[in-house]
Amino acid sequence: SNIGGYSTSEYLLESIVAPNAVIVPGYNRNSHKNFEWYTLDKNGVKTSTMPSFEWLDEKSKKDIVAYLKTLKTEAL
């Protein structure tokens, strides 16, 4: 994954604690064969299938973000 190469720390933290805040427009919810990335209600409103991890302590959240920031593909 290249999540650390194109996402800010703020966006990653938001995704961890409030996964419904931003659901990427146009993303294929069935792109992973084992699960949907989001669900749609009867009004077409998207809800992330990722649970919120807001219950984690601040250090754990920062550690996860720091790890995700290391996930960068090398330029060829």
Side-chain angles (χ1 to χ4, degrees):
S1 172
N2 187 35
I3 193 75
Y6 62 83
S7 295
T8 65
S9 296
E10 293 79 14
Y11 175 78
L12 292 171
L13 179 61
E14 178 183 60
S15 296
I16 292 166
V17 299
N20 285 316
V22 176
I23 298 178
V24 178
Y27 193 79
N28 179 354
R29 72 181 176 145
N30 299 310
S31 63
H32 192 285
K33 65 180 181 177
N34 293 324
F35 61 90
E36 294 180 333
W37 291 98
Y38 60 87
T39 58
L40 292 169
D41 70 11
K42 64 183 178 181
N43 298 318
V45 175
K46 297 176 183 178
T47 301
S48 176
T49 55
M50 180 175 145
S52 169
F53 290 90
E54 65 184 339
W55 53 268
L56 289 171
D57 61 82
E58 292 304 310
K59 181 181 181 321
S60 295
K61 292 176 201 173
K62 288 180 181 179
D63 288 347
I64 292 169
V65 169
Y67 167 72
L68 292 172
K69 289 297 289 178
T70 69
L71 301 178
K72 300 177 184 179
T73 57
E74 292 185 28
L76 299 176

